[in-house]
Each structure stands twice: as structure tokens, then as C-alpha cells.
């Protein structure tokens, strides 16, 4: 059995239902979204665990029940009595989302306070999956220890998968963000940057420039997402490839588009597909996810696109 450990922050999600004044409540977060879709795309040969920190309050307990009910392991979720979970609200306009967050007291900010607990969670794992949001919410000293633990994991033969998921509001400066993102890329087997964000915050002129920059900073392979546009790959040997993907049938809510793409890609690659085929699988899943409301869309994974 293979094992994947997703690392990050899960929050309570308040989202619009389409009826005025009526909201739905769920759980989501970028790495959790990917873990949730991976659980549905991979068979029983793979174990999916989640590494985070939550409170001891009722909402935190409901999250653990939710994760367990969805087949995601919770053995490495830390419980902190003096903290709680973050919360966010999604508003939509023409399928595009904007967010309001309440996360300053989030327990997940302390998920890497004890590096030994992170290392323990990764023992025996094949893949560690995390993101720039995970990195951003940690105090600087914990960012450094997290990268060191992941570096040790990689030296033991594990693979580190990283989505930069740039969120400048979580960082004290753009320079700080850029520096830490590159440090994280240096220990990564595979990075999933999004070109629009990378162009805005790193000044990349093209997806190929984004891919090359991540390679120069140590990433072994790169998949550059590009909204509805062509996706650019860099293979381990350094070869560049561009893959055209079909447009989504409809766009209702772009929440978790990138997260679900990553899951579809990884599930396909772990099932033996090439990088090109994995891109197509990721795009197919993401296309269905953005055709419905919310981050976690059960009907999106009821079609076998492998």
C-alpha cells in the first residue's frame, strides 16, 4: 500500500447556495481539497493521511469526524486546547470567487511547531503534498524546520509535491513570499505553479519562463497550470512540453479548480500514466469541479476519466 500525507490548514467553509441569504457550511482548504479528490480517484492501494492542527472545540471535532468519514486518516492531526479552526466565506460573481477570512487564531499555524511530530507523520510515506498557503501560515522559524524535515524525507526516498498557491495577503512582504517559495521548490520533486499568479508576483513572461525558474531553483519537474490555456510541463530530463486541454463545459464556481487538477494529475500519474496523460486527467476533473458550487463536488468524481 502506498501512502500520501497532505499537509496544511483545513477551515470551515461558508458558501453561497444560489438562494439569497442562504449559506451552506462545509470544510475545505487547498491541500485538504486535493487530499479529498485523491481519496476518490485512487483505489484502496493508497492511504491518504492529513497532517494539521485543530482545536478541541466542537467544530474541530466535527472536522475530524468528517475526515474519518471521507476515508482520510487523522492519526497525525494535533489537538490544541488554546486554539481553534479558521473560517472563510466565499462570495461569487460570474463564477469568480472572493474570500473573507477569519483565521488569525487558527491552530494550523502551529502544525510544524514540533518538527519531530511532522517527521513522525512522514515516516513510511511515499509522498508529502503541501502548498504555499501551508508555508505562509507558519511562523518563519517553523517554515525553516518544515523545509528541513521535508528535505530529510526526500533524502530517504520520499517525493515532495508542492503547489506554490501564491497568496500575498498571508505574507508580510512580496519579497518574503518569493524567497520562501523558492526555498520550498528546492526540495520538491514536482511543483504545480499557476501562471497567472506567477506572472503577477514573479514577473514571468510566459509559462515556459515559470517552469524554467522553478527548475533553476531545484524542482525536479514542473507542471504550469494556465487557466483554460495550454499547460506547460518540464520533465525530469529537462524537456519542455505543451499540452492543450479542452475548455470546461460551464463555469459556476472556480473554487478548488487548481486543487482538483493537482489531484487528478497525481492520481493518474500514480496509476502509471505519462505526464501528458496525467495533465489531461487533471484538466478533466477540474473542468467538472468548476461546473458546480463549492470546493468538494462529489458528482465530479463519479465519471471515470482515467
Amino acid at each position: 500500500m502506498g501512502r500520501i500525507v497532505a499537509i496544511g490548514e483545513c477551515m470551515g467553509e461558508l458558501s453561497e447556495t444560489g438562494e439569497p441569504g442562504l449559506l451552506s457550511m462545509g470544510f475545505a482548504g487547498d491541500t485538504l481539497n486535493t487530499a479529498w479528490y485523491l481519496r476518490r480517484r485512487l483505489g484502496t492501494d493508497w492511504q491518504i493521511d492529513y497532517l494539521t492542527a485543530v482545536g478541541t472545540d466542537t467544530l474541530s471535532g466535527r472536522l475530524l469526524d468528517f475526515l474519518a468519514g471521507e476515508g482520510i486518516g487523522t492519526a497525525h492531526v494535533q489537538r490544541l486546547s488554546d486554539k481553534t479552526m479558521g473560517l472563510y466565506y466565499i462570495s461569487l460573481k460570474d463564477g469568480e470567487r472572493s474570500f473573507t477570512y477569519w483565521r488569525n487564531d487558527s491552530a494550523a499555524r502551529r502544525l510544524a511547531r514540533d518538527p519531530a511530530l511532522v517527521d513522525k507523520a512522514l515516516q513510511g510515506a511515499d509522498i508529502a503534498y503541501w502548498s504555499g498557503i501551508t508555508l505562509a501560515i507558519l511562523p518563519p522559524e517553523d517554515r525553516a524546520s518544515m523545509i528541513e524535515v521535508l528535505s530529510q524525507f526526500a533524502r530517504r526516498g520520499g517525493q515532495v509535491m508542492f503547489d506554490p498557491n501564491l497568496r500575498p495577503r498571508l505574507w508580510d512582504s512580496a519579497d518574503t513570499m518569493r524567497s520562501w517559495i523558492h526555498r520550498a521548490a528546492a526540495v520538491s520533486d514536482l511543483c504545480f505553479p499557476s501562471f497567472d499568479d506567477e506572472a503577477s508576483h514573479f514577473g514571468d513572461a510566459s509559462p515556459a519562463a515559470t517552469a524554467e525558474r522553478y527548475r533553476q531553483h531545484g524542482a525536479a519537474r514542473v507542471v504550469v497550470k494556465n487557466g483554460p490555456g495550454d499547460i506547460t510541463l518540464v520533465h525530469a530530463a529537462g524537456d519542455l512540453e505543451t499540452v492543450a486541454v479542452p475548455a470546461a463545459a460551464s463555469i459556476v464556481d472556480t473554487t478548488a479548480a487548481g486543487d482538483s487538477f493537482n489531484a487528478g494529475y497525481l492520481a493518474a500519474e500514480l496509476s502509471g500514466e505519462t505526464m501528458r496523460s496525467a495533465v489531461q486527467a487533471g484538466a478533466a476533473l477540474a473542468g467538472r469541479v468548476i461546473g458546480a458550487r463549492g470546493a468538494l463536488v462529489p458528482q465530479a468524481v463519479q465519471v471515470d476519466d482515467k
Side-chain angles (χ1 to χ4, degrees):
M1 176 180 287
R3 180 166 168 258
I4 300 171
V5 178
I7 307 168
E9 179 182 27
C10 184
M11 292 181 287
E13 177 193 76
L14 297 173
S15 58
E16 298 175 350
T17 62
E19 298 182 28
L22 185 62
L23 302 175
S24 64
M25 173 68 188
F27 296 106
D30 66 332
T31 58
L32 185 277
N33 298 339
T34 299
W36 189 88
Y37 285 108
L38 277 170
R39 177 68 285 154
R40 277 150 184 76
R41 297 303 295 145
L42 292 171
T44 55
D45 288 341
W46 284 90
Q47 178 180 342
I48 312 296
D49 289 338
Y50 200 62
L51 170 59
T52 190
V54 298
T56 55
D57 55 283
T58 300
L59 184 61
S60 296
R62 288 179 179 172
L63 168 64
L64 296 185
D65 291 342
F66 167 78
L67 294 175
E70 297 296 321
I72 298 172
T74 62
H76 301 288
V77 177
Q78 303 168 46
R79 305 295 301 271
L80 307 178
S81 61
D82 59 336
K83 296 292 180 182
T84 187
M85 288 177 53
L87 183 70
Y88 71 98
Y89 164 67
I90 302 174
S91 58
L92 291 170
K93 183 177 181 181
D94 300 325
E96 290 301 320
R97 59 206 164 139
S98 60
F99 298 91
T100 303
Y101 290 96
W102 299 269
R103 74 196 311 177
N104 288 339
D105 204 39
S106 171
R109 292 181 178 273
R110 290 164 54 182
L111 70 86
R113 183 62 51 89
D114 185 346
L117 292 178
V118 179
D119 185 68
K120 180 179 179 181
L122 294 176
Q123 292 293 326
D126 299 278
I127 293 171
Y129 175 82
W130 70 317
S131 76
I133 292 178
T134 310
L135 184 64
I137 66 172
L138 301 177
E141 62 273 19
D142 293 355
R143 292 173 192 155
S145 63
M146 173 67 84
I147 289 174
E148 176 57 29
V149 170
L150 289 171
S151 178
Q152 294 172 8
F153 171 72
R155 288 196 291 270
R156 295 197 299 265
Q159 292 186 310
V160 180
M161 311 298 190
F162 179 65
D163 185 337
N165 220 346
L166 305 176
R167 296 293 184 271
R169 289 187 299 176
L170 295 177
W171 297 90
D172 58 20
S173 73
D175 285 343
T176 299
M177 177 181 72
R178 288 188 284 262
S179 174
W180 281 105
I181 291 295
H182 284 157
R183 289 177 66 176
V187 300
S188 300
D189 175 76
L190 178 59
C191 287
F192 290 103
S194 295
F195 176 62
D196 284 352
D197 289 343
E198 302 291 330
S200 295
H201 303 298
F202 285 91
D204 297 335
S206 66
T210 296
E212 179 59 27
R213 176 169 49 81
Y214 276 94
R215 282 275 293 179
Q216 288 178 351
H217 282 89
R221 298 181 296 148
V222 187
V223 176
V224 184
K225 295 172 285 188
N226 191 21
D230 294 351
I231 292 175
T232 299
L233 315 177
V234 177
H235 297 263
D239 301 331
L240 192 74
E241 183 177 5
T242 301
V243 181
V245 295
S250 65
I251 300 177
V252 175
D253 179 358
T254 57
T255 303
D259 307 331
S260 58
F261 173 91
N262 297 351
Y265 177 96
L266 288 172
E269 187 169 88
L270 293 173
S271 298
E273 300 290 338
T274 64
M275 288 185 75
R276 170 178 281 273
S277 295
V279 162
Q280 293 165 341
L285 177 56
R288 294 195 295 272
V289 168
I290 65 177
R293 292 183 180 273
L296 307 180
V297 183
Q299 63 267 32
V301 288
Q302 291 173 354
V303 178
D304 187 358
D305 57 21
K306 291 188 288 184

